[in-house]
Amino acid sequence: MTSFRGWRIEPCDFDAVCLEFVTDDDTYRVLLDTSEESIADHALRRVLGAPLGD
């Protein structure tokens, strides 16, 4: 089983962002509309803490 290292939200396209969950072995990406970025950021900070690089 891989261990979770953190998460981050980064631009992917002009109208999308990538929500990334980083583990020791891989990075899992979820594509979100830019309008959902602030909601995802707020929810993940509450549950998982600050994103990687913060």
Side-chain angles (χ1 to χ4, degrees):
M1 178 178 204
T2 60
S3 63
F4 179 73
R5 289 187 24 221
W7 65 278
R8 61 182 166 236
I9 298 177
E10 297 188 347
C12 286
D13 203 352
F14 70 95
D15 64 347
V17 293
C18 284
L19 169 56
E20 299 180 336
F21 296 97
V22 181
T23 69
D24 288 336
D25 298 328
D26 210 346
T27 300
Y28 300 92
R29 291 178 184 88
V30 178
L31 187 64
L32 298 175
D33 186 271
T34 54
S35 66
E36 298 168 335
E37 180 178 4
S38 63
I39 295 168
D41 183 75
H42 177 73
L44 289 169
R45 282 178 186 269
R46 289 191 60 144
V47 175
L48 300 175
L52 294 172
D54 244 14

